[in-house]
């Protein structure tokens, strides 16, 4: 079996196109507004609408929540446009159990909070602007992901 097919059973072209669009989007956001498009702060700034705890009411969240919601909506709409226009309409499924998805989501959220940012903020924006802390964060994310994926593969087998 072709190794590319085993790694990318749906093809690699849409991943490349998606990566180019994401890179162009965060670059345009930064060039035109000076804003950094990380997604973990979208989560916290959105909670600032609902939760009155001091953490969520910080100016960095309340002052940016409007544009961050528009930014997140653009990501969701972009995925919808791809699904409606470029896929065959078949919903994608996974063999991963729901409990594993929930645990993984919790750990990723915790890691984003611990690392003061996520893969989009550090990996795309931080590396793109040559930030040393972002390089360290991305190396930590990737090492943790490799270890976790191998451990999970052993547990799931």
């Amino acid at each position: 079996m072709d190794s590319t097919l085993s790694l990318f059973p749906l093809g690699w072209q849409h991943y490349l196109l998606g990566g180019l669009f994401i890179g162009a989007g965060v670059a345009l956001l930064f060039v035109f507004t000076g804003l950094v498009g990380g997604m973990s702060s979208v989560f916290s700034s959105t909670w600032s609408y609902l939760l009155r705890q001091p953490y969520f009411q910080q100016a960095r969240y309340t002052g940016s929540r409007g544009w961050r919601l528009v930014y997140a909506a653009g990501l969701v709409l972009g995925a919808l446009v791809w699904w409606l226009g470029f896929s065959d309409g078949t919903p994608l499924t996974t063999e991963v159990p729901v409990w594993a998805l929930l645990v993984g989501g919790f750990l990723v959220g915790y890691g984003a909070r611990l690392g003061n940012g996520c893969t989009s903020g550090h990996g795309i924006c931080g590396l793109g602007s040559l930030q040393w802390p972002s390089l360290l964060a991305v190396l930590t994310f990737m090492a943790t992901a490799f270890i976790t994926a191998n451990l999970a593969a052993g547990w799931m087998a």
Side-chain angles (χ1 to χ4, degrees):
M1 178 183 236
D2 180 16
S3 64
T4 304
L5 187 58
S6 66
L7 289 174
F8 304 106
L10 301 176
W12 56 268
Q13 295 85 352
H14 63 280
Y15 295 108
L16 175 62
L17 186 62
L20 292 172
F21 276 128
I22 290 170
V26 296
L28 290 171
L29 178 68
F30 184 75
V31 167
F32 289 120
T33 66
L35 300 171
V36 175
M39 289 308 297
S40 62
S41 50
V42 171
F43 182 76
S44 298
S45 66
T46 302
W47 278 110
S48 73
Y49 282 114
L50 302 172
L51 301 175
R52 297 293 168 220
Q53 283 82 8
Y55 177 82
F56 293 104
Q57 295 305 311
Q58 296 176 61
R60 67 182 177 148
Y61 295 137
T62 59
S64 66
R65 60 189 178 189
W67 76 263
R68 290 189 188 281
L69 278 177
V70 171
Y71 182 69
L75 290 173
V76 172
L77 289 174
L80 179 64
V81 166
W82 176 85
W83 188 64
L84 293 174
F86 300 104
S87 75
D88 63 3
T90 304
L92 298 177
T93 61
T94 181
E95 300 289 326
V96 178
V98 172
W99 70 265
L101 293 172
L102 292 172
V103 169
F106 174 79
L107 291 173
V108 167
Y110 179 75
R113 177 64 55 89
L114 188 65
N116 199 24
C118 59
T119 52
S120 59
H122 285 300
I124 298 169
C125 302
L127 289 181
S129 60
L130 304 175
Q131 299 293 317
W132 176 251
S134 289
L135 176 60
L136 295 176
V138 169
L139 291 174
T140 302
F141 295 158
M142 294 307 294
T144 304
F146 293 147
I147 292 167
T148 303
N150 283 294
L151 288 173
W155 288 332
M156 298 291 179

